[in-house]
Amino acid sequence: MEPKKGFLFRMLIMNMIGIGSRLRSARQARGLTQDELARLAGVGRTSLSQLENGTIGEIGVRKILRVCAVLGLELQVMPEGRLPTLDDLLAERGRR
């Protein structure tokens, strides 16, 4: 299954539970199991499960980027407290 491209994944002020929840939703929307996503992203299924549940102690950013890439997500880091501008929102809408 080809992941939907252009879905903007924002990390404004988000804890690991929020990140994991968004990753789980994207995985389920694409009809992938944890085993399938873990294999495609080159991460362990247990690590992926812990990431989705927000219980992972430490995980490298490269692993998160690989999971995002498989899901067609983009990880974007913004200054703390910055809300998206109208241009940001319109650009995101155009990517879908």
Side-chain angles (χ1 to χ4, degrees):
M1 169 181 266
E2 182 68 24
K4 182 178 176 184
K5 300 293 181 193
F7 184 84
L8 182 61
F9 179 78
R10 293 183 184 280
M11 188 168 93
L12 296 172
I13 302 173
M14 189 179 299
N15 59 29
M16 290 305 289
I17 293 171
I19 292 170
S21 176
R22 288 191 179 201
L23 293 174
R24 181 186 310 105
S25 293
R27 174 182 58 78
Q28 290 172 339
R30 285 157 181 77
L32 294 171
T33 66
Q34 284 184 342
D35 285 328
E36 291 167 332
L37 177 56
R39 181 179 47 78
L40 292 169
V43 300
R45 198 219 38 91
T46 301
S47 294
L48 179 60
S49 176
Q50 291 173 340
L51 177 60
E52 286 187 356
N53 292 315
T55 59
I56 195 158
E58 295 291 329
I59 186 166
V61 70
R62 284 187 176 91
K63 289 182 181 179
I64 294 174
L65 290 173
R66 288 197 312 260
V67 170
C68 288
V70 171
L71 294 173
L73 302 177
E74 177 182 285
L75 181 65
Q76 186 177 54
V77 179
M78 298 174 152
E80 188 172 339
R82 179 186 177 273
L83 296 175
T85 65
L86 178 58
D87 288 338
D88 293 336
L89 296 172
L90 290 172
E92 178 180 347
R93 185 178 217 191
R95 291 182 186 149
R96 291 185 179 173

